[in-house]
Amino acid sequence: MADSAARSRVPVGDVARLFLKLGLTAFGGPAAHVALMEEEVVRRRGWITHAEFVDLLGAANLIPGPNSTELAIHLGYRMAGAAGLIAAGVCFIGPAVLITLAFAWSYARFGATHAADILLYGIKPAVIAVVLGAVARLARVAVRRPLTAAIAIIAAAASLAGGDEVLVLLAAGAVAVHPRRSDAALGGIQLIAPFAPLAAGAIAATSASEAGLVGLGLFFLKVGSVLYGSGYVLIAFLRGGLVADRHWLTERQLLDAIAIGQFTPGPVLSTATFVGYLIHGLGGAAVATLAIFMPSFVLVALTNPLIPRLRSMPLMAGFLDGVNAASIGLIAAVVIQLGREALVGWPSWVIGAVGAVAALTRLNPTWVILGGAALGAIAAAAGAGR
């Protein structure tokens, strides 16, 4: 990679324009973002080779944070140095943050109206369907062996029992790093032991006790620093930290925040902007956004020069296997928990079922959510019972 880096540099302005375009048009979640970046950077412009792209994607998967956002930052750094790192990251994140902020302002003022209730009635089960579809797709990659399947199930149980998400992820990584003579050799006791205190709900999350800007910033900084797997894992952190533990949000507000995050282009983690605004206004939105994305910029700057070494570390690969499997379990637990709020009355169950089929066929999440809103409005107009 060093040879190719010395061979060519892309003007920072070109990098900024490309990632601003992607930030405005990249719907469909992290997998779609990665595909769009590969199309633009490798196929259309030839700024880097396919092998280099895969190296950078692998590096993004090895560090905590939103994978597609970190890939954008890696690409910017590779093509235009430190200035490119900042330009690519800010331009990819910026549009989603501004759009989400506008939605948050509108929601804070008009979200409780009858018209909004009708719209959200159909959107909420559609969001559950989108997340369920993400669980199914991600599980095909992350849950491929008996060990990772067991980790995912135990992580889901621990989350449902009130376990701390960070410790669940760390324990899962530690279990997966165990010398892998065979899956059977680990034994049931070895698998369950690290999760036992979590399942009992004995471990509490570290946080400030009040919803001030400092406490809000520390929470999102923690999330941005330990968020492995898909951006959907954010939902588990938000529910555990902000709904169950601190009661800064209600289940309904969390569902609405997730819906907005799915509806906008760019990274799903722009949901933090929405949540920050609901908790502490414009200052909260700014603090939450900066805190959750800052670790990605720092980690990419630190790890980009080390990519060749990271790829050859078996322990890192094992740790990541366990963390990714646990991430799937955490997301699955959130689907169950939020489903209680979203699935109210038979029309919502029908919308959820139709949305799940659509999501599993990889229909763009935006269309699934728009379809849910339309079906919810039809059900309301027809006077369907809830």
Side-chain angles (χ1 to χ4, degrees):
M1 269 182 76
D3 291 342
S4 60
R7 183 177 67 240
S8 65
R9 277 295 174 105
V10 178
V12 174
D14 290 352
V15 171
R17 280 189 289 273
L18 172 60
F19 283 96
L20 183 61
K21 169 190 169 185
L22 290 173
L24 288 166
T25 61
F27 289 93
H33 301 166
V34 172
L36 286 169
M37 290 178 200
E38 194 271 341
E39 173 68 23
E40 295 285 353
V41 174
V42 179
R43 297 179 184 274
R44 292 189 60 186
R45 290 168 173 79
W47 286 348
I48 65 173
T49 67
H50 190 267
E52 289 168 339
F53 185 89
V54 172
D55 277 351
L56 295 175
L57 178 59
N61 286 324
L62 282 173
I63 59 177
N67 290 347
S68 62
T69 300
E70 288 175 341
L71 177 59
I73 298 170
H74 267 300
L75 289 167
Y77 193 17
R78 159 62 186 84
M79 295 182 297
L85 177 150
I86 296 171
V90 170
C91 289
F92 183 64
I93 295 166
V97 168
L98 293 176
I99 294 169
T100 302
L101 184 61
F103 275 117
W105 177 86
S106 177
Y107 177 88
R109 284 153 180 77
F110 310 115
T113 65
H114 179 64
D117 284 341
I118 292 174
L119 193 65
L120 291 170
Y121 179 74
I123 286 178
K124 289 176 183 178
V127 168
I128 296 298
V130 167
V131 178
L132 184 62
V135 169
R137 289 192 300 273
L138 294 169
R140 296 188 192 114
V141 177
V143 185
R144 293 176 293 186
R145 298 183 294 123
L147 174 61
T148 50
I151 288 174
I153 292 169
I154 296 172
S159 179
L160 289 170
D164 176 70
E165 294 80 9
V166 175
L167 294 178
V168 169
L169 292 176
L170 292 176
V175 169
V177 168
H178 187 285
R180 290 179 281 178
R181 297 183 183 92
S182 70
D183 289 331
L186 289 174
I189 295 177
Q190 289 175 299
L191 263 176
I192 294 172
F195 292 101
L198 303 175
I203 310 256
T206 57
S207 69
S209 60
E210 297 181 359
L213 286 177
V214 173
L216 186 68
L218 288 175
F219 172 78
F220 279 104
L221 186 63
K222 180 187 80 169
V223 172
S225 299
V226 299
L227 187 70
Y228 270 99
S230 164
Y232 289 106
V233 183
L234 172 68
I235 301 169
F237 279 95
L238 293 181
R239 191 192 179 279
L242 301 184
V243 178
D245 292 344
R246 299 165 181 80
H247 308 293
W248 294 353
L249 292 179
T250 65
E251 296 274 12
R252 169 176 174 161
Q253 288 174 321
L254 176 58
L255 267 171
D256 297 344
I258 297 166
I260 297 301
Q262 291 292 325
F263 190 73
T264 54
V268 175
L269 265 65
S270 63
T271 300
T273 306
F274 189 96
V275 170
Y277 188 90
L278 292 188
I279 294 174
H280 221 286
L282 190 60
V287 167
T289 302
L290 289 172
I292 200 167
F293 284 111
M294 186 186 303
S296 295
F297 286 87
V298 174
L299 288 170
V300 168
L302 292 175
T303 60
N304 190 280
L306 304 175
I307 290 173
R309 292 187 203 171
L310 291 174
R311 294 177 69 235
S312 62
M313 295 173 61
L315 287 180
M316 284 298 295
F319 180 82
L320 203 59
D321 283 347
V323 167
N324 285 344
S327 297
I328 302 303
L330 293 179
I331 302 170
V334 171
V335 170
I336 295 171
Q337 292 160 331
L338 293 183
R340 299 169 189 155
E341 169 75 19
L343 301 174
V344 181
W346 68 263
S348 65
W349 282 93
V350 172
I351 293 169
V354 173
V357 172
L360 290 170
T361 59
R362 299 203 174 197
L363 184 65
N364 189 302
T366 302
W367 295 115
V368 176
I369 292 171
L370 286 175
L375 290 174
I378 292 170
R386 298 186 184 183

